[in-house]
Amino acid sequence: MTRDDSIAHAIQVMALGRLPGLIVVDEEQRPRLVLPGTQVLRLAVPVAYQEDPALTRTVDEAHADVFWHEIRDMRVGDCLGTHTPRPVIVKSSATLLELATLMARQRSPLVAVVDDAGLLTGAVILDRLLSALALTRPDD
């Protein structure tokens, strides 16, 4: 994801990929920061509703389900604040143990995977790591 991608696209990518957040890359595809899903969601919810949650009960169900479509012109860069976390990064050769240790130590449910040049090649999310660990059996 780049700073220029739309928030609506970011929400769709997160939903379809079941991701806890997004890795934002620079022009060279190097991971620069992590955008937590809650930060994307916060931008998607109009400020008036965040300040007064009682207003949410005044919106009918049809409109309440599509409120986030109003942010089509907003970009990922609009979400980025001064406290946006830097991504946790591993090389593509990292083992499950290395990933588990890093995720636990950094308390990060999302890790960027880079090649030897530092370019993003993928990501590992906690759910997938736990699934891989659960399916791994020691040799008998």
Side-chain angles (χ1 to χ4, degrees):
M1 190 80 19
T2 70
R3 293 173 182 263
D4 294 328
D5 287 316
S6 72
I7 294 298
H9 179 65
I11 290 172
Q12 290 170 334
V13 168
M14 286 176 43
L16 294 174
R18 304 183 100 183
L19 302 173
L22 296 169
I23 298 167
V24 179
V25 297
D26 63 16
E27 305 81 29
E28 297 172 349
Q29 298 302 307
R30 285 183 167 65
R32 291 298 173 211
L33 45 98
V34 171
L35 185 59
T38 52
Q39 197 166 338
V40 175
L41 185 60
R42 187 166 190 241
L43 192 62
V45 176
V47 174
Y49 297 114
Q50 291 180 47
E51 291 175 353
D52 185 2
L55 288 176
T56 61
R57 291 188 286 277
T58 65
V59 179
D60 64 62
E61 189 170 342
H63 289 96
D65 291 347
V66 295
F67 72 90
W68 69 278
H69 288 278
E70 297 174 13
I71 60 168
R72 291 176 209 239
D73 295 334
M74 296 186 79
R75 302 282 163 218
V76 168
D78 297 332
C79 292
L80 307 178
T82 56
H83 302 292
T84 307
R86 296 192 50 80
V88 176
I89 298 173
V90 296
K91 297 275 184 158
S92 56
S93 60
T95 65
L96 288 178
L97 178 58
E98 288 173 292
L99 279 165
T101 301
L102 190 59
M103 283 181 159
R105 191 176 71 237
Q106 297 293 325
R107 297 181 180 169
S108 177
L110 179 65
V111 174
V113 180
V114 297
D115 61 16
D116 290 334
L119 304 180
L120 185 69
T121 61
V124 177
I125 60 173
L126 179 60
D127 182 50
R128 299 284 167 91
L129 175 73
L130 294 175
S131 295
L133 291 174
L135 296 173
T136 303
R137 303 258 186 243
D139 292 336
D140 290 324

